[in-house]
Amino acid sequence: MTGARALPARPTLLFVHGWAFDASVWAPLRAELRDWPHMTTDAGYFGPGHEPKADGPVIAIGHSMGLLRLLRRLPAGCIGLVSINGFPRFGAGPDFDAGVPRRMLDRMVKRLSADPSAVLQDFRQRCGDASAFGEPRLAPLSQDLEALRDENQRDALAALSVPLLVLAGQDDPIVPASMTQAAFGGRPDDEHHEREQGGHLLPVSDAPWCARHIAGFIARLTHAPRAPRKPQVAARFGAAAHRYDDHAPIQRVTAQRLAGDIARLRLPARPRILEIGCGTGLLTQALARRLGPADWTVTDISPAMLAAAQRGPALPGTARYQVLDGEHPGALTGPYDLICSSLAVQWFTDLNAGLGKLAALLAPGGHLAVATLADGTFGEWRAAHRAAGLVAATPHYPARAAIHPAMGNLAGGVHSERLIQNHPDGLTFLKGLKGIGATTPAPGRPPLGPAALRRVLAAFDEQGATVTYHLAYGMWKKSTQRPAGVFVTGTDTGIGKTLVSAILARAWNADYWKPVQTGVSEDPGDTETVAQLAQLPPERLHLPAYVLQAPLSPWAAATLEDTVVDATTIVPPSTRAPLIVEGAGGLYVPIDDTHMMIDLIARLDMPVVLAARSGLGTINHTLLSLEALKRRGIPVLGVVMSGPLSAGNKEAIERFGDVRVLAEIPPLAKVDAAAVDALARDIPPLEECLAALGGTPAVAG
C-alpha cells in the first residue's frame, strides 16, 4: 500500500505504579520485558517524584491506581494501554456499587494523617508485600488516597481510543473480580486475562505471566505494516463519494435530526458557519434550507467528498470549500457562530480533545453541534464475531456521558437516539458500509480473512441481520460570562417549583422573579409565598412581567382575558445577587402563540434546576424533560425531588439522566420558613454547582 509504514517493533514501555508503592515494584516485570526500552514514573511517596516524557510510540502500563492516573491523560504517542490489577474507579458511587465503600476510605484518610507508616504497612501487607519502605511523604500519599476515594475515570475509559489489555488476579484482595467486571465488563472487545489464584501484585508475583501477555499484545499492535489512519479514512471515503448517497439512509436521517436541532438555536443573521466532514452535503443542504443566507466554510478530509458537496445546489450567501482534517483545524482562524458536524467526528483519534479545538474557534455565544456514533453501535456485528470466537475490528465508540469537549467555557449536553436498520443478510450490511467508505478498522485490528469472515457472516445472519446505531447529538454554547442565576422549571404543574425556588433563594442568598404569574384569582401568587418562606426582603423580589387571573397556561389565560402576552418582551431584572427565576408549569407550557416555556429558558440564557416528584412515574417524566433540555443545549444544574424518599428513583435519574440530584425534599408536616431554612442548609453552594457544569456555564438559545 502506498505510504504504508510499520510501527516500530520496540515501542517504549512506560510503567506507572499504584498507591503506597514506588517504581521499584516494577523490577521483576521489567526484567522479563528487557527486550524493549523502559521508562518509569514515580509518584513521590517515599522520595522525589519523577514523570518522564516519552519520545515516539509508547505502551503505557499501569498497576492498580497507575491505570487511574494514566486515564487522566494518556502520554503523547500512546498506541496501547495495559491495566494490571487496575481500575478506572476505586471508591463506590451511585453508579458503581462494586467500589470500596466511602466510609472505609474516609477512615483510611483520617488514619493516614495520624500514622502514615502504620496505614502503609497494613495496606502493603494486604497486597501481599511485607518489605520495608522509606520515610512516607504525607502530602502526595494523602492527595492520591483522596483520589482513590473520589476520582472517577470511567468516562475516560469509555472514550479510550487505543487498544486495551486487562490483566487481573482472581484472588485480588484489593481489586476483587467483581470490581474488575464492573469496570471493564462493558468493553467485550478488549483483551482480558485473569490469573488463577493471582493477587494484587501480579507484576511481582506473576511477572512471567504478565510479560507473556504484554509481549503478545505488543506483537499484535506492531506486527503488520499499517497506513497512517487519517489518510486511509480519507481515501476510503473518497473512493465511495460517487455512490455514497445510495447507501446512506442512517446518515440522511441523522443530518435531518441535527439540522432540526440547530434550526432552534438563536443564531445571528447571516451566521458564520463551519462544517466539519461535510461528506456529499447532506447536513449542508439541510441547514441551507432551514437557515438561509450565511457565510459558509464547508470542509472534509476527502477531496472527492468535498467535490461532491460542491456539486450540490448553491448555498445561500457566501461559501468556500476546503480540504481539512477537522480534528486539527489550526489553519482556520474563526470565529464562527456555528460549528457543526454530522457523523464525522467519530473518526477523530481523541474525540474530546478534537471537539475542544473546534470549540476554541467559536465566537462568544457561538454553538458547537455534532452528531456522532456512541457506545453500543454495531453491537450485533460485534456479537457475531464473539459467536465465531473472534474480535471485531469495528472502532470503539464512547458512551454518551463520556462525550464533552475539552474546553472549560462551554455548557450544554448530549442527547441520544437509537436507530435500527434491517438487512437481508450480512453481506448486504457490509456492502452498505463499503458504499459509504466506512470500512477503516480500529487501530491495531487487521481485517478478517475469507474463512473467518464467512463464519462471522453466518453468525450475523442467524441473529437476524439487524444493526443498531446509537447516535449521540451534542449541543454546546460558548460564553465568557457566568449566568445571572438559575431557572426553576418542573416535570409538571403543581410539582413543587415554588418551594424549590424558596429553598434555593434561601440557600444562595438570591433574588426571586416569576416572569409570568397565572391563577391569581385563586391564590395570592408565588412571589408572596417565596417571600414568606425564604424570608426575603422586598428589595429581593421582582415583579412579574405578566399577571393573569385564570389558573391556566399563560397562553390560555391571556386568551380568556383578551390580553396579549409576548414572550420576546420578557427581560430579566438587573440584580447584584444571583436570580432565581421560576417558570409556569413545565417545559412545553405555551406562553404565547409561538413560544413555549422552554423557549423562554433558552432566551434567558440560564441553567435549569428541574423540580420532580419522587414517586411512581417520575423516572419517565424526568428523563423526558432532561432529554428536551439537552436537545436545546440547555445545561441542567440539577434535579430536586419532592415526596417520599426513593433511593431507586434517585439512582435511576442520576444514572440515565446523567444529572445530579441536588436535594430530596421529604413530605413536610408544615411548610414554613423554618422548614425552608433547614432544607436550604443541605443545598450545595451555587459556585460548586456552576463549576460542575464545566467552567463558565452558558446555555444554547
Side-chain angles (χ1 to χ4, degrees):
M1 183 178 294
T2 304
R5 63 179 176 87
L7 283 175
R10 297 174 68 249
T12 298
L13 308 186
L14 174 65
F15 296 89
V16 182
H17 66 82
W19 191 78
F21 290 86
D22 59 20
S24 66
V25 75
W26 293 112
L29 182 57
R30 291 180 64 191
E32 296 287 340
L33 293 170
R34 54 186 173 273
D35 291 339
W36 288 271
H38 298 173
M39 292 190 304
T40 60
T41 67
D42 196 300
Y45 298 148
F46 307 105
H50 176 59
E51 189 160 343
K53 292 187 177 180
D55 182 17
V58 170
I59 303 289
I61 305 172
H63 175 247
S64 192
M65 186 185 178
L67 180 73
L68 191 75
R69 292 168 61 192
L70 284 167
L71 287 172
R72 293 173 188 165
R73 186 176 184 85
L74 289 179
C78 183
I79 61 170
L81 181 63
V82 179
S83 167
I84 308 179
N85 304 112
F87 44 81
R89 178 169 187 166
F90 189 68
D95 60 345
F96 195 65
D97 295 338
V100 176
R102 183 182 182 91
R103 64 182 183 278
M104 294 178 61
L105 294 171
D106 283 340
R107 287 199 298 268
M108 197 168 171
V109 168
K110 187 175 181 179
R111 287 178 55 224
L112 182 71
S113 61
D115 192 347
S117 293
V119 172
L120 289 171
Q121 184 175 10
D122 177 64
F123 179 80
R124 288 170 65 117
Q125 286 179 347
R126 289 183 60 214
C127 293
D129 178 74
S131 62
F133 49 85
E135 183 67 24
R137 302 177 70 201
L138 185 58
L141 284 163
S142 296
Q143 179 179 331
D144 282 356
L145 183 56
E146 290 174 3
L148 281 172
R149 180 190 63 192
D150 301 330
E151 190 167 342
N152 181 7
Q153 293 295 339
R154 296 175 72 202
D155 285 352
L157 177 66
L160 190 66
S161 59
V162 299
L164 173 68
L165 169 65
V166 178
L167 303 179
Q170 289 185 349
D171 296 331
D172 188 334
I174 306 299
V175 185
S178 58
M179 186 188 295
T180 300
Q181 175 61 29
F184 302 103
R187 297 177 58 88
D189 293 336
D190 293 328
E191 189 176 342
H192 295 243
H193 300 280
E194 289 188 352
R195 181 63 164 169
E196 290 186 11
Q197 300 180 337
H200 189 66
L201 292 179
L202 292 179
V204 177
S205 62
D206 296 85
W209 179 83
C210 292
R212 185 168 66 254
H213 287 297
I214 293 171
F217 180 64
I218 296 170
R220 286 184 286 279
L221 286 178
T222 60
H223 81 287
R226 289 194 300 176
R229 182 168 171 78
K230 288 294 181 66
Q232 190 178 10
V233 170
R236 296 195 182 196
F237 277 110
H242 67 285
R243 60 179 183 269
Y244 183 93
D245 289 351
D246 296 332
H247 299 275
I250 298 296
Q251 289 72 16
R252 186 173 289 105
V253 168
T254 305
Q256 293 293 333
R257 299 269 208 278
L258 182 60
D261 287 348
I262 291 172
R264 298 186 183 97
L265 301 176
R266 294 177 61 232
L267 296 171
R270 295 184 69 91
R272 297 159 294 181
I273 298 175
L274 168 64
E275 183 183 358
I276 299 298
C278 66
T280 57
L282 295 177
L283 177 62
T284 319
Q285 294 299 328
L287 287 176
R289 291 190 293 271
R290 290 167 170 83
L291 301 182
D295 179 42
W296 305 85
T297 301
V298 183
T299 73
D300 199 279
I301 197 172
S302 164
M305 282 289 189
L306 196 68
Q310 197 166 2
R311 288 193 295 268
L315 298 176
T318 58
R320 64 195 62 82
Y321 293 82
Q322 182 173 341
V323 175
L324 179 78
D325 177 357
E327 189 173 2
H328 303 287
L332 303 175
T333 57
Y336 299 98
D337 302 302
L338 170 67
I339 299 176
C340 56
S341 179
S342 181
L343 293 184
V345 298
Q346 66 268 18
W347 297 102
F348 284 9
T349 303
D350 187 331
L351 175 60
N352 291 337
L355 292 177
K357 291 176 185 177
L358 292 173
L361 297 173
L362 287 171
H367 300 269
L368 174 63
V370 303
T372 188
L373 298 177
D375 184 40
T377 298
F378 303 136
E380 298 88 347
W381 185 244
R382 297 178 191 274
H385 279 72
R386 290 195 294 273
L390 300 165
V391 175
T394 310
H396 284 296
Y397 303 114
R400 182 191 71 174
I403 301 172
H404 44 79
M407 185 172 178
N409 56 343
L410 291 175
V414 180
H415 72 273
S416 60
E417 177 182 34
R418 186 179 66 171
L419 295 180
I420 298 175
Q421 188 175 25
N422 298 312
H423 298 277
D425 52 40
L427 198 56
T428 304
F429 165 61
L430 289 183
K431 287 179 179 178
L433 290 182
K434 185 175 181 181
I436 62 171
T439 55
T440 305
R445 296 282 167 79
L448 297 177
L453 179 58
R454 284 193 294 271
R455 298 204 312 273
V456 171
L457 288 173
F460 184 73
D461 292 348
E462 187 175 346
Q463 294 170 183
T466 297
V467 175
T468 302
Y469 292 80
H470 291 263
L471 299 165
Y473 299 86
M475 193 81 67
W476 300 274
K477 184 180 178 183
K478 179 179 182 179
S479 175
T480 56
Q481 298 179 343
R482 286 195 177 276
V486 300
F487 196 108
V488 177
T489 188
T491 59
D492 199 351
T493 190
I495 205 72
K497 297 187 301 294
T498 302
L499 177 57
V500 170
S501 297
I503 293 169
L504 297 181
R506 182 69 175 171
W508 296 337
N509 197 26
D511 288 13
Y512 172 82
W513 179 50
K514 177 126 182 171
V516 183
Q517 175 69 66
T518 63
V520 296
S521 63
E522 298 183 1
D523 294 301
D526 296 327
T527 302
E528 182 178 332
T529 302
V530 170
Q532 294 174 355
L533 293 177
Q535 299 178 293
L536 296 180
E539 63 269 19
R540 307 296 292 275
L541 304 169
H542 303 275
L543 294 176
Y546 295 95
V547 178
L548 300 162
Q549 298 295 314
L552 302 170
S553 71
W555 170 76
T559 302
L560 284 179
E561 297 169 31
D562 198 23
T563 298
V564 176
V565 173
D566 183 355
T568 64
T569 66
I570 298 175
V571 178
S574 297
T575 65
R576 293 181 179 275
L579 181 64
I580 305 299
V581 182
E582 181 186 348
L587 294 172
Y588 284 99
V589 167
I591 300 175
D592 57 25
D593 287 340
T594 56
H595 296 91
M596 304 286 187
M597 194 58 61
I598 194 172
D599 299 308
L600 177 61
I601 296 171
R603 196 169 65 79
L604 294 182
D605 212 20
M606 288 180 169
V608 161
V609 172
L610 183 66
R613 292 188 178 89
S614 63
L616 186 65
T618 191
I619 296 174
N620 180 63
H621 295 161
T622 306
L623 295 184
L624 284 173
S625 296
L626 293 171
E627 188 79 359
L629 291 164
K630 289 176 182 177
R631 288 187 73 90
R632 298 292 294 271
I634 299 171
V636 180
L637 207 67
V639 173
V640 177
M641 301 174 68
S642 297
L645 301 185
S646 173
N649 286 346
K650 176 178 180 287
E651 180 184 2
I653 288 169
E654 289 189 322
R655 175 179 295 184
F656 299 109
D658 189 26
V659 70
R660 179 183 185 182
V661 172
L662 295 176
E664 295 176 275
I665 304 174
L668 301 175
K670 186 177 183 181
V671 180
D672 57 12
V676 166
D677 184 62
L679 290 165
R681 293 173 193 159
D682 293 328
I683 298 294
L686 177 59
E687 286 299 311
E688 176 188 318
C689 296
L690 292 174
L693 287 178
T696 311
V699 299

